[in-house]
Amino acid sequence: MRKISLVTGASRGLGRNAALSIARHGGDVVLTYQSREADALAVVSEIEASGGKAIALQLDVGDVSTFASFAEHLKIALQRTWGRDTLDHLVNNAGHGDVAPLAEMHESAFDKLVDVHFKGVFFLTQTLLPVLADGGRIVNLSTGLTRICAEGWSAYAAVKGAVEVLTVYMAKELGHRKIAVNVVAPGAIETDFFGGAVRDTPEFNRFFASMTALGRVGVADDIGPMIASLLTDDNRWVNAQRIEVSGGQGI
């Protein structure tokens, strides 16, 4: 029986690549999107064209008040599409970037980072625990910026650091259900994250490439397959780990 993975924020970027990589590994996918429905449906079509099953559901991970309703829609969709009441994997990927020096960060921007990257991860996982099958997997997304510093990223890195701590506690508290929980920390990646800064700004790209042992910045294809591999039995004994995927950035 094919496993079912839910990937948040999968209409583009790393989430899209993770969803497609999971499908290539023989899994089916529930992907969520905030506003880019057409992009999400394109990912669904691509997965279906390769022989898998996928559906797209709208979700704002920064709005905890919608999670209970989302869970009900998810259960209906699981039953309708797969004849199941549970899914096997949760990938907490959705997010955004906001950069400002400590002295200039606005409270509203800070709150949005917390709501999306930490509060959203915490309470969406909590909400979906009854839908997540025993023996399942959770992968949270962090950043290489929790290990190395780049000016202006203090708030973003801090909430991702909170996710890294949360990941260990999730692994501990869900161990009795045989659910493994890990966190993946990408380095600088060429996607449209933060307006495509790393991809589209040559000086940023050169800067991060120069501090990476393998001599370039990452691309989505460096991250999605690694996330997919964490969900397979090949990595069944990996648990409560922070796994940096950065090509050796900042060493």
Side-chain angles (χ1 to χ4, degrees), residues 57-59 63-76 127-128:
L57 299 177
Q58 196 280 330
L59 174 67
D63 187 355
V64 173
S65 69
T66 66
F67 289 177
S69 174
F70 172 78
E72 291 306 311
H73 284 114
L74 172 62
K75 286 186 279 189
I76 292 169
T127 301
L128 296 184

Side-chain angles (χ1 to χ4, degrees), residues 73-115:
H73 284 114
L74 172 62
K75 286 186 279 189
I76 292 169
L78 287 169
Q79 187 60 237
R80 181 176 61 238
T81 307
W82 288 279
R84 288 183 52 181
D85 298 317
T86 60
L87 52 85
D88 301 287
H89 310 137
L90 171 61
V91 180
N92 285 306
N93 163 79
H96 69 288
D98 205 322
V99 60
L102 183 67
E104 299 174 15
M105 173 62 68
H106 292 289
E107 184 180 4
S108 60
F110 181 92
D111 287 345
K112 187 175 181 181
L113 286 169
V114 172
D115 287 345

Side-chain angles (χ1 to χ4, degrees), residues 6-28:
L6 189 153
V7 183
T8 64
S11 64
R12 57 179 178 166
L14 296 186
R16 175 184 180 277
N17 195 280
L20 294 173
S21 296
I22 289 166
R24 285 194 292 268
H25 277 72
D28 292 337

Side-chain angles (χ1 to χ4, degrees), residues 195-216:
V198 173
R199 180 192 61 206
D200 301 333
T201 309
E203 56 266 36
F204 282 180
N205 196 292
R206 287 193 297 268
F207 170 75
F208 286 112
S210 71
M211 62 186 297
T212 302
L214 292 180
R216 64 170 176 85

Side-chain angles (χ1 to χ4, degrees), residues 21-236:
S21 296
I22 289 166
R24 285 194 292 268
H25 277 72
D28 292 337
V29 185
V30 178
L31 58 100
T32 78
Y33 63 94
Q34 182 181 15
S35 59
R36 304 166 78 97
E37 182 179 17
D39 291 341
L41 293 176
V43 179
V44 169
S45 296
E46 192 167 345
I47 291 172
E48 290 177 339
S50 68
K53 286 185 180 180
I55 59 172
L57 299 177
Q58 196 280 330
L59 174 67
D60 181 354
V61 297
D63 187 355
V64 173
S65 69
T66 66
F67 289 177
S69 174
F70 172 78
E72 291 306 311
H73 284 114
L74 172 62
K75 286 186 279 189
I76 292 169
L78 287 169
Q79 187 60 237
R80 181 176 61 238
T81 307
W82 288 279
R84 288 183 52 181
D85 298 317
T86 60
L87 52 85
D88 301 287
H89 310 137
L90 171 61
V91 180
N92 285 306
N93 163 79
H96 69 288
D98 205 322
V99 60
L102 183 67
E104 299 174 15
M105 173 62 68
H106 292 289
E107 184 180 4
S108 60
F110 181 92
D111 287 345
K112 187 175 181 181
L113 286 169
V114 172
D115 287 345
V116 170
H117 292 276
F118 183 54
K119 188 176 179 181
V121 171
F122 189 107
F123 286 103
L124 181 63
T125 302
Q126 180 192 75
T127 301
L128 296 184
L129 283 178
V131 188
L132 187 62
D134 289 353
R137 310 282 171 80
I138 298 172
V139 176
N140 298 322
L141 269 290
S142 181
T143 173
L145 292 168
T146 61
R147 182 178 61 84
I148 59 174
C149 294
E151 186 175 352
W153 291 96
S154 60
Y156 176 79
V159 294
K160 287 300 194 181
V163 169
E164 293 183 6
V165 173
L166 176 62
T167 296
V168 177
Y169 276 83
M170 284 182 176
K172 180 69 172 178
E173 294 193 19
L174 300 178
H176 71 284
R177 293 182 53 189
K178 311 305 180 192
I179 295 173
V181 190
N182 294 287
V183 61
V184 171
I189 304 292
E190 289 184 350
T191 67
D192 56 3
F193 179 78
F194 196 58
V198 173
R199 180 192 61 206
D200 301 333
T201 309
E203 56 266 36
F204 282 180
N205 196 292
R206 287 193 297 268
F207 170 75
F208 286 112
S210 71
M211 62 186 297
T212 302
L214 292 180
R216 64 170 176 85
V217 298
V219 295
D221 274 336
D222 294 320
I223 310 300
M226 190 274 165
I227 293 172
S229 74
L230 269 180
L231 304 178
T232 70
D233 284 341
D234 289 344
N235 286 299
R236 65 188 180 189

